[in-house]
Amino acid sequence: MQSLTNRSKVVSNKKMTWTERMYIPAILAGLRVTIYHFFKKKVTVQYPEQTREHSQYFRGRHVLKRDEEGRENCTACGLCAVACPAEAITIVAEERKKGEETLYREEKYAAEYNINMLRCIFCGLCEEACPKDAIYLTTTISTSDYHRDQFIYTKDMLVDGIKDVDRIDISSRRKGVREGAM
Amino acid sequence: MELIIFKICLVLVLFLLSITIAAYSTFSERKVAAFMQDRIGPNRAGPFGLLQPLADGIKMIMKEEIMPADSNKLLFILGPAISMITALMTSAVIPWGPDITIGGEKVQLQVADINVGILYIMGVLSLGVYGIMIGGWASNNKFALLGAVRASTQMISYELAMGMSIVAIIMTTGSLSLGNMVEGQNGWHGMGWNIFLQPLGFLIFLICAFAETNRTPFDLPESETELVGGYHTEYSSMKLGFYLFAEYINMFLSSAVITCLYFGGYNFPFMDMVQANTHEILFALMCVGVFLAKIIFFIFFFMWVRWTIPRFRFDQLMNLGWKVLLPLSIVNMLITGAVILYNQ
């Protein structure tokens, strides 16, 4: 019968010859393989001390950015929450009061911004949906914890630092840079 | 009196040596396994992970001790005890080095040079089966019982071929004492090892040693994948530790016996020239060092094989033991006899 694909292989079930049944040569060949691996360079990455280099576009835990004057970019439009396929983001919006202009860039801001890290799949769609350059995924690996409620990241854990040194560098992820690279 | 004190010291040293080597065998087993699988292995406890055996030991002792409700309490404790005792007993007849003079008296570096040394080893080895058999039976668990039955079948089957290959060695040496056997191998400037006279016998003995110590490819009594843990399924805490320890001590001592019988014991090339030029004690220490190096190589070989070859099927194991190794060892014995007769 003609085979449907060219991937079929003829399997031989012939009896082993006398030398093959001695097994000793085969065992010696096996021992050679293992001793070769014994002296080979090890592939282990000793994690806490050594880390593997991430891709420039690695999607780790989120950061809520501020503008140059230290005001939060987020305007609580909710586009990230809508874009999120895992429904991990919840936002409570509030109107900016007089005197809060130094804190928030737009007239509306997110009073609460929670990301459930157990739901998050790190797809980066929130980052793509954001019209205000507010949310970015960083190269930081999100940490593990012992309790489920510890995984709901609140705003104080997500917002970027005010001082320049505290800010997380996401320049490689800015839309223009990324498209240019691609 | 001095002799007795010396022997007691030797016993203590041997006991500590066996325990230490067994402990570090567990560590090096993991290291060797890791290296052969391109990993690094345990390296967190102490420098290079050297304190790992200590950590493992403390863990073993601190673990909860569980005894199955319907088990026979006495036999359940007796099992690992027998295993451990028989494993440690073997070291008594092994010659660790040449004779030395202490206080004008010649003493042997051997606890007891009994004239039936090799028979003693065979006897103690077969007693070791009881430890496994009793432990497996007293557990009141099917897996444990199956493991124990497998262990005893395997050990009894392979002891025959092992004994036959030793008979050939006894014929060439003309003595049952291990001390004489090792001394008989120092011809050709310390290179008159039995391996050159008895290559087939060595191969048979080596395979049987693997089977006797329950090491891969003959680790059917334990076989985690089929029997959970074999005869020590129900054991926990230090009782389990004793079983595992006994296995490693057995490995150490079978390596010692292999070295004594086939690789010249403490003999090394050009030892007669070295002996003429060095102090007696220094020479004895060198011999002990060489002997330990050979033993460590064989322990490594045991591990090397373990991470190379998969496990046998039980019928294959029996086939190999009864239909291949036993006839081969008898043929080997007959050839040895014929050659001895021809040379007379």
Side-chain angles (χ1 to χ4, degrees), chain A residues 143-156:
Chain A
T143 49
S144 51
D145 219 309
Y146 291 103
H147 301 285
R148 296 183 73 86
D149 52 348
Q150 303 290 317
F151 283 98
I152 295 169
Y153 282 20
T154 48
K155 202 174 146 190
D156 53 307

Side-chain angles (χ1 to χ4, degrees), chain B residues 115-262:
Chain B
N115 55 6
V116 287
I118 193 71
L119 273 187
Y120 168 85
I121 285 180
M122 292 296 285
V124 170
L125 262 182
S126 12
L127 276 180
V129 185
Y130 282 99
I132 293 173
M133 192 67 207
I134 287 173
W137 186 76
S139 301
N140 191 30
N141 174 313
K142 261 112 193 152
F143 287 120
L145 186 63
L146 270 174
V149 168
R150 278 185 178 191
S152 45
T153 326
Q154 174 182 324
M155 283 171 120
I156 290 165
S157 307
Y158 278 77
E159 236 155 56
L160 286 168
M162 194 181 216
M164 285 296 178
S165 61
I166 290 176
V167 165
I169 287 282
I170 295 168
M171 284 159 76
T172 53
T173 324
S175 167
L176 282 169
S177 146
L178 273 174
N180 289 351
M181 281 182 180
V182 172
E183 273 163 33
Q185 293 182 56
N186 65 2
W188 297 352
H189 303 293
M191 277 303 285
W193 299 354
N194 279 333
I195 171 83
F196 304 119
L197 299 174
Q198 297 275 348
L200 182 63
F202 164 68
L203 195 66
I204 295 167
F205 189 88
L206 187 71
I207 295 171
C208 293
F210 274 94
E212 289 287 320
T213 46
N214 297 332
R215 296 283 303 179
T216 323
F218 306 104
D219 64 338
L220 290 114
E222 285 165 46
S223 51
E224 295 105 341
T225 40
E226 313 148 40
L227 288 179
V228 192
Y231 56 89
H232 53 58
T233 304
E234 292 289 353
Y235 281 90
S236 56
S237 181
M238 206 53 204
K239 289 209 208 72
L240 173 70
F242 265 32
Y243 267 131
L244 302 181
F245 239 65
E247 190 190 311
Y248 283 101
I249 295 175
N250 272 331
M251 202 164 95
F252 165 53
L253 292 168
S254 350
S255 304
V257 173
I258 292 172
T259 313
C260 279
L261 289 182
Y262 292 97

Side-chain angles (χ1 to χ4, degrees), chain A residues 23-24 27 30-32 34-44 46-49, chain B residues 31-32 34-41 43-44 203 207 300-301 304-305 307-309:
Chain A
Y23 293 115
I24 304 287
I27 289 172
L31 289 176
R32 231 199 76 197
T34 38
I35 203 74
Y36 163 71
H37 279 272
F38 189 86
F39 292 111
K40 225 175 129 184
K41 198 169 168 286
K42 306 298 167 225
V43 294
T44 311
Q46 304 260 330
Y47 171 59
E49 292 95 36
Chain B
K31 272 285 192 198
V32 167
F35 269 62
M36 286 186 175
Q37 294 162 355
D38 294 342
R39 298 183 284 115
I40 292 176
N43 64 346
R44 295 288 149 146
L203 195 66
I207 295 171
F300 174 75
F301 186 71
W304 185 6
V305 168
W307 300 106
T308 304
I309 312 177

Side-chain angles (χ1 to χ4, degrees), chain A residues 74-136:
Chain A
C74 181
T75 182
C77 62
L79 281 175
C80 49
V82 173
C84 183
E87 299 187 2
I89 303 176
T90 44
I91 305 173
V92 174
E94 203 132 311
E95 208 174 322
R96 186 178 69 185
K97 307 243 167 29
K98 250 204 155 70
E100 289 181 334
E101 285 87 352
T102 51
L103 295 176
Y104 312 110
R105 193 175 64 178
E106 318 281 337
E107 282 102 58
K108 199 170 120 224
Y109 71 94
E112 268 180 46
Y113 195 108
N114 294 346
I115 302 179
N116 187 338
M117 289 313 229
L118 290 172
R119 301 201 67 144
C120 180
I121 57 171
F122 301 96
C123 61
L125 285 183
C126 45
E127 180 184 318
E128 266 177 53
C130 186
K132 296 285 180 190
D133 264 3
I135 188 161
Y136 279 98

